[in-house]
Amino acid sequence: GLYGRSTLRETGLETGEVVRYRELSSQLFGEGITLFGDRLIQLTWRSGIGLVWDLENFTVVRTFVYPTEGWGITSDGHRLIMSDGTSTLRFLDPETFRATGAVEVLNEGTPLSNLNELEYVEGLIYANVWETDDIAIISPETGVVVGWLDLSGLLTEDERRDADVLNGIAYDSENKRLLVTGKLWPKIFEIRVVTKD
């Protein structure tokens, strides 16, 4: 993210070493990204422009437009799921990028706004709530919040001074690993979800 500083990067997970990267136009504020087949699909914040990257050579092969802000995007393997900072998640066709439906996210009957980064994890949508250390776990069928992850305390006080908000969620389905990070965070964390009694 950030104007003039947005890049698409491939990094070594264990070392943080940047293997390859591409800069976005300085007019674009890079936001959510998801892998769909052999393409990376990326949103930009306020320009209404989505980028489709070729995974092999990191080149933009297509762009698309949408009428809202772009915050987060994920995929359930059949459709794209997009957030725009409101309480609404939109479902998009991965070929045409046209909206095919929407669901309002409700927490105990109240709309939950500021939905940011998204990740599809074993049938549920994980969404971090902007400017909090919380991740809502959402049913894609009903929009109901079925659980919460509290990620407060991951960063030390020293690390938090130079860091911004939590907004990175990735799921490695092959190894069943959940990874989280944030804007300007110095680390990526692998976390295990435990139930609070």
Side-chain angles (χ1 to χ4, degrees):
L2 303 177
Y3 290 109
R5 293 177 53 191
S6 292
T7 60
L8 173 67
R9 298 180 192 177
E10 178 184 356
T11 61
L13 184 59
E14 305 301 330
T15 66
E17 177 187 352
V18 177
V19 177
R20 60 182 173 153
Y21 76 99
R22 291 287 187 264
E23 294 179 358
L24 276 67
S25 162
S26 62
Q27 287 80 39
L28 298 178
F29 188 118
E31 276 290 348
I33 195 164
T34 192
L35 177 65
F36 192 89
D38 61 353
R39 302 174 295 161
L40 291 167
I41 299 169
Q42 183 177 28
L43 302 178
T44 58
W45 182 28
R46 290 187 165 163
S47 64
I49 297 171
L51 307 171
V52 181
W53 297 86
D54 182 283
L55 183 61
E56 186 67 29
N57 59 26
F58 268 28
T59 58
V60 175
V61 294
R62 182 176 172 191
T63 61
F64 61 98
V65 296
Y66 43 88
T68 63
E69 290 186 357
W71 286 40
I73 191 166
T74 190
S75 168
D76 63 6
H78 305 287
R79 60 191 175 170
L80 302 172
I81 306 163
M82 176 183 168
S83 67
D84 60 10
T86 68
S87 61
T88 300
L89 295 178
R90 289 176 175 74
F91 302 105
L92 308 177
D93 181 285
E95 299 303 324
T96 65
F97 301 101
R98 290 194 179 108
T100 60
V103 66
E104 183 172 32
V105 176
L106 301 173
N107 181 45
E108 298 179 348
T110 302
L112 179 64
S113 61
N114 289 330
L115 299 174
N116 194 358
E117 167 65 0
L118 305 176
E119 186 70 6
Y120 190 78
V121 180
E122 298 183 4
L124 297 168
I125 301 167
Y126 285 42
N128 85 275
V129 180
W130 184 56
E131 292 194 313
T132 75
D133 289 326
D134 298 325
I135 293 177
I137 304 173
I138 303 161
S139 163
E141 290 79 28
T142 65
V144 171
V145 175
V146 298
W148 287 93
L149 300 180
D150 176 0
L151 301 185
S152 58
L154 285 180
L155 294 179
T156 67
E157 286 303 314
D158 284 345
E159 291 169 333
R160 188 162 282 285
R161 270 193 284 279
D162 295 325
D164 203 338
V165 295
L166 168 75
N167 80 337
I169 312 169
Y171 184 63
D172 173 3
S173 59
E174 186 176 320
N175 297 299
K176 307 291 186 194
R177 298 190 303 173
L178 185 61
L179 307 169
V180 296
T181 192
K183 193 177 296 283
L184 304 176
W185 281 26
K187 299 174 183 170
I188 295 172
F189 295 87
E190 180 180 342
I191 63 170
R192 184 173 60 250
V193 177
V194 294
T195 304
K196 185 175 174 182
D197 293 329

